Amino acid sequence: MKLFRILFIVLLCSGWIHGAAASDTRTLAQTVLDGLEDQYAGRSFSAEFKQTSILTALDISETASGKAWFSHPGKMKWQYLAPERHDIITNGQTLWIFRPDEDQVMIGDAAPFFASGAGGAFLSDISKIRDNFSVSVTETTDQWVELQLDAPPENTDIQSIRIQVNRTDFQIQTVTTVNTAKDITRFELSDIQFQDMPDHWFEFEIPSGTHIIDMN
């Protein structure tokens, strides 16, 4: 009987500790989300980026780098400088993909490409994280916290996003997206600068003689 009581107490304490740890994790996730929103919500910023893309089914890995600009709500400009120059620009409604070396621009509706959070779209409106994803903590160190954003089942593009956030200033260090085909895209962000940006930065004037491709 005494052994039974001891086992019961051990199990009870184990359950309490597990519950307390889960509660602490949820609290940490909320704290980081609050910090992200205070830092990014409604603010424009730029960042240098390094991108690694993995096509899982084909076991192909590609790298790229450049600079990106983001402005609320839904405005982005990704300027790829290596391995080849191309720009991805959206004002929140229209999407332009410009390849200057090919004298080609692709034009389409931005919503199908970015509405689900693909292409780092959530970076232009951090406040949508709470509405569009289930958030949990996956890893922590003294320097950063990694959040996992799980998309709902009806999202046919993005499965999950992981963001590594600095504990001190709540700046985003890395973003890793996994789509429903298990392809992985990882962005390493650096030199983040918060600054006002005019709307025309997120418009694109098509150069004369450029071949236009309609994506709609």
Side-chain angles (χ1 to χ4, degrees), residues 61-83:
S61 179
E62 298 178 337
T63 60
S65 61
K67 187 169 184 177
W69 295 261
F70 306 90
S71 185
H72 175 84
K75 301 181 180 71
M76 295 187 293
K77 180 177 181 178
W78 295 83
Q79 186 176 79
Y80 285 80
L81 302 176

Side-chain angles (χ1 to χ4, degrees), residues 117-118 120-127 129 133 149 161 163 172 175 177:
F122 76 96
L123 292 170
S124 64
D125 194 352
I126 291 291
S127 62
I129 290 178
F133 300 94
L149 317 180
I161 300 173
I163 54 177
I172 297 172
V175 176
T177 66

Side-chain angles (χ1 to χ4, degrees), residues 48-124:
E48 306 286 338
F49 71 87
K50 294 181 180 179
Q51 178 181 332
T52 302
S53 301
I54 301 173
L55 299 176
T56 302
L58 300 177
D59 194 24
I60 294 175
S61 179
E62 298 178 337
T63 60
S65 61
K67 187 169 184 177
W69 295 261
F70 306 90
S71 185
H72 175 84
K75 301 181 180 71
M76 295 187 293
K77 180 177 181 178
W78 295 83
Q79 186 176 79
Y80 285 80
L81 302 176
E84 61 181 22
R85 171 69 189 275
H86 67 279
D87 298 339
I88 300 174
I89 306 164
T90 179
N91 57 13
Q93 288 81 42
T94 302
L95 168 67
W96 298 270
I97 302 175
F98 177 52
R99 301 182 181 276
D101 293 342
E102 301 174 16
D103 291 325
Q104 178 191 95
V105 61
M106 303 171 71
I107 304 176
D109 181 6
F113 294 92
F114 299 122
S116 63
F122 76 96
L123 292 170
S124 64

